């Protein structure tokens, strides 16, 4: 039983086209009986979490009222059943705001172990790949984690409520993606490549033949999704990551 | 009463006639006639008392049936009032939970406004239910009091019936039943009064919620937690265009912006809120000596801050 996290770094304005968010909600949250939304408004005020109201939230996104938001299970639910889909609509760091980060926005997902089991990791990956086809990510990762909370922290590079070891890893991730530039994030169990990465690695055919990944999927914008093993809890993930890191070294 | 008087007149007249005629007759005949007359009179008098008693018995049956109705009515009322008490308690818990679940700034007028609004809404809901139940109480109390009076009046009427042999036992039995019913009605009435007192006390808890220590504690809890958690911060409540981050630390290679939230809001939300301030904090403190000396720098030389969400246990109702 392992939790799963994912992050996509992209430049696609979701305020202009909310369909990728909606598709992700439909794929990952449709079965949840109770959902909450937590909005971080552009205006300098704080909001309390409230019941998820899809249309109302989408309208606020379209009106550019929000800097970011989270939709997911309430905080009171156990970690294993937790699911969150987070969307950053306005760049948060100075580097992202000034165009030095290599991306402007982030989309993140975290699911607890039981939530992953119920949906199946493959269907979660399908949803993420479909989303990637829509938002054309410059980079991204899908990774197993001990808990949903840790998965969320790793996906967002934000901290709190973690062990020292987990906290160190999250700090490393944050510094690594702060100015990602043309580099990839990862590699992880699942790694998204932008078109420039694919080109730099010699094209998709070469990636398919030489990356050693169990899954290689072509993305609509010319990027690719690589997955080390068929399942995220395969014991071969760590060894596969080392081998993939060597293959991807030109873009790391 | 009227029948008893007539009987007495008839008896007196009869005795006078017999005394006149019997002056010459033998004492045996006199005795026979007198005894006969007494027997006739006794029979007539007993019949009238019985008739009165029967009438009062019917009155009692009616009041007894009314008592049963009142008993049911009081039962239903108490059931309703219990639901209000539970509802009232639920409202109170909901109110405190909502207050506890709030993210409260230490000097936040907004949270005070939200708390006030929450309390007023709870008070309004309870007041409406309270008005309905007190209207019901007024009706039930009136009818029960009237029954008490009717039963007491009936008891007095039965007491007025002479304790003659013919009705003695029935009279005593009816009296006993009436007295028992009066006692039961008194208990019913007392139950109503007690319930009303208890209900009023519970209602006061929400209606005058600001003075309720539980509500007051909930209103202050979030503020107190923020103040406690901010005690070690290097900066707190810095005013930025993106808002006021709860806390900023300038630790060696670990500069961070921290947001505090109750556990009911959760770490993910706290982290997201903290992330919102990053760009502004980087620029605001770019020349601050603490940031210059301790924070890692980005490619533009700006200090890098990480976002951290910290939760505290939300107060509970």
């Amino acid at each position: 039983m392992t939790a799963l996290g994912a992050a996509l770094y992209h430049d696609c304005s979701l305020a202009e086209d909310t369909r990728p968010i909606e598709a992700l909600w439909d794929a990952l949250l449709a079965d949840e009986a109770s959902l909450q939304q937590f909005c971080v408004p552009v205006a300098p005020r704080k909001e309390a979490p409230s019941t998820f109201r899809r249309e109302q939230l989408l309208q606020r996104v379209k009106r550019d009222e929000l800097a970011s938001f989270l939709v997911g299970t309430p905080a009171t639910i156990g970690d294993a059943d937790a699911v969150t889909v987070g969307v950053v609509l306005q760049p948060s760091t100075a580097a992202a705001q000034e165009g030095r980060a290599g991306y402007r926005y982030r989309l993140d997902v975290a699911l607890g172990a039981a939530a992953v089991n119920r949906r199946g990791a493959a269907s979660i990956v399908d949803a993420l790949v479909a989303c990637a086809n829509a938002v054309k990510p410059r980079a991204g990762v899908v990774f197993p984690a001990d808990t949903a909370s840790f998965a969320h922290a790793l996906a967002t590079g934000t901290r709190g409520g973690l062990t020292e070891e987990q906290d160190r890893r999250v700090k490393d991730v944050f510094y690594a993606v702060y100015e990602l530039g043309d580099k990839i994030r990862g590699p992880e169990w699942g790694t998204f490549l932008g078109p420039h990465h694919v080109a730099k690695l010699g094209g998709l055919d070469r990636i398919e033949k030489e990356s050693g990944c169990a899954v290689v999927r072509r993305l609509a914008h010319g990027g690719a999704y690589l997955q080390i093993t068929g399942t995220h809890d395969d014991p071969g993930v760590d060894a596969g990551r080392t081998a993939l890191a060597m293959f991807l070294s030109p873009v790391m | 009463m009227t029948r008893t008087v007539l009987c007495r007149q008839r008896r007196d007249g009869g005795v006078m006639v017999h005394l006149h005629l019997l002056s010459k007759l033998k004492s045996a005949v006199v005795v026979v006639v007198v005894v006969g007359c007494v027997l006739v009179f006794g029979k007539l008098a007993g019949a009238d008392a019985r008739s009165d008693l029967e009438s009062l018995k019917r009155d009692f049956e009616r009041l007894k049936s009314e008592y049963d109705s009142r008993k049911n009515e009081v039962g239903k009322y108490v059931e309703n009032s219990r639901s209000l008490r539970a509802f009232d308690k639920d409202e109170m818990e909901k109110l405190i939970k909502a207050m506890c679940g709030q993210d409260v700034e230490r000097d936040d007028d907004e949270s005070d406004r939200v708390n006030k609004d929450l309390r007023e809404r709870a008070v309004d809901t309870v007041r409406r239910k309270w008005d309905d139940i007190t209207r019901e109480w007024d009706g039930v109390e009136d009818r029960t009091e009237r029954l008490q009076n009717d039963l007491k009046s009936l008891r007095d009427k039965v007491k007025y019936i002479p304790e003659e042999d013919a009705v003695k036992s029935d009279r005593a039995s009816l009296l006993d039943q009436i007295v028992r019913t009066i006692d039961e009605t008194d208990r019913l009435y007392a139950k109503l009064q007690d319930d009303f007192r208890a209900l009023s006390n519970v209602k006061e808890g929400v209606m005058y919620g600001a003075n309720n220590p539980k509500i007051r504690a909930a209103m202050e809890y979030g503020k107190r937690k923020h103040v406690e958690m901010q005690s070690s911060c290097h900066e707190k409540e810095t005013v930025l265009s993106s808002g006021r981050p709860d806390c900023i630390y300038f630790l060696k290679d670990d500069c961070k912006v921290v947001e505090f939230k109750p556990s009911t809001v959760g770490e993910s939300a706290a982290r997201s809120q903290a992330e919102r301030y990053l760009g502004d904090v980087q620029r605001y403190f770019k020349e601050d000596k603490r940031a210059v000396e301790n924070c890692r720098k980005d490619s533009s030389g700006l200090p890098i801050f990480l976002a951290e969400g910290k939760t505290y246990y939300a107060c509970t109702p």
Side-chain angles (χ1 to χ4, degrees):
Chain A
M1 290 254 291
T2 316
L4 206 60
L8 292 174
Y9 303 90
H10 64 96
D11 293 319
C12 175
S13 169
L14 292 167
E16 287 168 22
D17 182 3
T18 57
R19 283 175 300 179
I21 309 172
E22 295 178 68
L24 207 53
W25 286 345
D26 290 340
L28 301 181
L29 302 173
D31 295 338
E32 294 298 332
S34 161
L35 286 172
Q36 282 201 331
Q37 60 190 42
F38 176 74
C39 297
V40 179
V42 172
R45 62 185 166 80
K46 296 177 186 180
E47 290 188 10
S50 57
T51 305
F52 176 44
R53 291 197 172 81
R54 186 183 176 116
E55 283 313 310
Q56 182 221 50
L57 180 55
L58 289 172
Q59 288 309 312
R60 295 188 73 189
V61 170
K62 286 172 186 168
R63 288 197 299 267
D64 272 329
E65 286 179 18
L66 304 178
S68 67
F69 66 86
L70 280 174
V71 176
T73 47
T76 45
I77 207 163
D79 187 89
D81 291 304
V83 183
T84 57
V85 175
V87 178
V88 173
L89 296 158
Q90 292 205 348
S92 54
T93 63
Q97 288 162 358
E98 293 163 11
R100 289 182 283 114
Y103 61 91
R104 286 178 64 75
Y105 313 113
R106 190 191 65 235
L107 224 148
D108 52 82
V109 165
L111 297 102
V116 172
N117 269 10
R118 278 197 298 276
R119 288 162 181 80
S123 75
I124 297 166
V125 168
D126 284 347
L128 290 165
V129 169
C131 186
N133 277 323
V135 301
K136 307 177 182 71
R138 298 176 69 101
V141 283
V142 184
F143 53 87
D146 295 338
T147 61
S149 174
F150 185 32
H152 177 266
L154 282 172
T156 58
T158 57
R159 311 149 78 183
L162 305 170
T163 64
E164 265 183 50
E165 170 58 23
Q166 289 174 337
D167 191 59
R168 253 194 307 278
R169 275 190 63 192
V170 172
K171 266 172 78 176
D172 291 345
V173 164
F174 178 78
Y175 288 128
V177 301
Y178 181 82
E179 287 178 298
L180 197 56
D182 280 339
K183 289 181 262 169
I184 62 159
R185 175 179 166 182
E188 289 286 357
W189 173 65
T191 308
F192 288 93
L193 306 179
H196 52 289
H197 301 134
V198 172
K200 205 162 181 181
L201 291 166
L204 201 70
D205 289 343
R206 179 173 175 257
I207 293 171
E208 280 174 337
K209 280 182 201 145
E210 297 178 26
S211 67
C213 287
V215 177
V216 177
R217 290 168 76 167
R218 187 184 297 263
L219 298 178
H221 70 315
Y225 171 70
L226 316 185
Q227 193 173 292
I228 295 170
T229 56
T231 56
H232 67 295
D233 47 7
D234 188 308
V237 171
D238 284 342
R241 190 165 45 231
T242 310
L244 183 59
M246 285 177 67
F247 176 77
L248 294 174
S249 58
V251 290
M252 285 175 63
Chain B
M1 190 72 185
T2 314
R3 279 186 207 131
T4 313
V5 172
L6 283 173
C7 177
R8 202 173 287 134
Q9 282 171 343
R10 235 181 278 149
R11 182 191 63 171
D12 292 347
V15 169
M16 278 175 67
V17 168
H18 286 295
L19 286 175
H20 177 69
L21 291 173
L22 288 175
S23 60
K24 304 274 179 195
L25 293 177
K26 290 180 179 174
S27 58
V29 177
V30 173
V31 170
V32 168
V33 172
V34 169
V35 167
C37 187
V38 167
L39 281 174
V40 169
F41 157 72
K43 214 168 183 178
L44 284 172
D48 286 342
R50 178 163 301 284
S51 162
D52 288 345
L53 198 61
E54 288 305 322
S55 165
L56 293 178
K57 264 187 187 172
R58 281 193 295 277
D59 287 348
F60 174 66
E61 287 310 317
R62 188 179 48 78
L63 291 179
K64 184 79 176 62
S65 140
E66 202 176 314
Y67 165 79
D68 290 339
S69 303
R70 290 293 78 75
K71 195 176 167 188
N72 280 339
E73 199 174 36
V74 171
K76 273 184 197 157
Y77 161 78
V78 170
E79 198 60 39
N80 261 348
S81 109
R82 192 173 297 137
S83 82
L84 172 60
R85 267 179 282 179
F87 169 85
D88 204 358
K89 191 166 163 278
D90 290 349
E91 275 300 306
M92 170 93 92
E93 284 182 4
K94 251 166 53 188
L95 171 66
I96 294 173
K97 200 173 167 190
M99 286 174 171
C100 290
Q102 270 199 96
D103 178 37
V104 182
E105 301 295 313
R106 52 188 285 152
D107 314 309
D108 194 4
D109 291 342
E110 175 65 7
S111 72
D112 287 342
R113 191 195 61 73
V114 172
N115 277 338
K116 190 165 171 273
D117 185 52
L118 285 167
R119 189 167 58 76
E120 278 172 3
R121 267 191 294 157
V123 166
D124 192 49
T125 319
V126 171
R127 182 179 289 136
R128 265 184 283 123
K129 185 102 177 158
W130 164 257
D131 287 346
D132 289 345
I133 205 94
T134 45
R135 245 193 313 277
E136 187 186 349
W137 186 88
D138 279 343
V140 179
E141 195 247 6
D142 266 2
R143 289 186 286 275
T144 311
E145 198 174 11
R146 210 177 311 135
L147 176 64
Q148 277 179 312
N149 293 336
D150 289 352
L151 282 164
K152 281 171 189 164
S153 152
L154 183 68
R155 176 196 60 196
D156 294 344
K157 281 181 188 168
V158 174
K159 275 184 179 171
Y160 199 77
I161 291 180
E163 282 189 80
E164 291 164 359
D165 287 345
V167 294
K168 192 174 180 179
S169 146
D170 279 358
R171 176 185 176 280
S173 159
L174 180 60
L175 207 51
D176 181 52
Q177 286 182 69
I178 293 171
V179 168
R180 265 190 284 128
T181 311
I182 288 172
D183 287 347
E184 282 165 13
T185 310
D186 284 349
R187 277 199 291 274
L188 217 53
Y189 189 77
K191 190 176 175 182
L192 264 179
Q193 298 290 348
D194 287 349
D195 186 88
F196 188 79
R197 266 192 299 277
L199 197 60
S200 304
N201 289 340
V202 177
K203 186 206 66 167
E204 307 280 296
V206 170
M207 298 286 269
Y208 306 108
N211 297 324
N212 181 305
K214 270 186 165 183
I215 291 181
R216 200 199 293 269
M219 286 169 87
E220 295 302 319
Y221 182 84
K223 286 185 183 180
R224 203 176 66 241
K225 285 312 277 188
H226 271 69
V227 170
E228 274 171 28
M229 292 176 89
Q230 283 172 329
S231 61
S232 64
C233 300
H234 297 148
E235 288 289 338
K236 50 202 166 206
E237 309 281 345
T238 307
V239 179
L240 305 168
S241 62
S242 50
R244 292 189 300 173
D246 283 334
C247 182
I248 296 169
Y249 287 100
F250 303 93
L251 301 170
K252 192 72 189 159
D253 286 334
D254 195 12
C255 292
K256 56 188 179 183
V257 179
V258 185
E259 182 67 17
F260 306 127
K261 298 270 183 211
S263 50
T264 46
V265 172
E267 259 139 16
S268 304
R271 293 168 183 164
S272 296
Q273 187 68 57
E275 199 177 11
R276 166 69 179 141
Y277 307 120
L278 291 181
D280 273 359
V281 170
Q282 286 180 280
R283 292 189 192 91
Y284 190 89
F285 291 103
K286 68 180 177 186
E287 286 167 1
D288 188 288
K289 193 176 170 223
R290 295 166 296 178
V292 171
E293 286 178 0
N294 295 307
C295 307
R296 283 174 67 158
K297 311 294 177 309
D298 70 9
S299 61
S300 279
L302 285 171
I304 299 177
F305 288 81
L306 279 92
E308 181 169 333
K310 269 192 180 170
T311 57
Y312 54 87
Y313 282 108
C315 58
T316 47

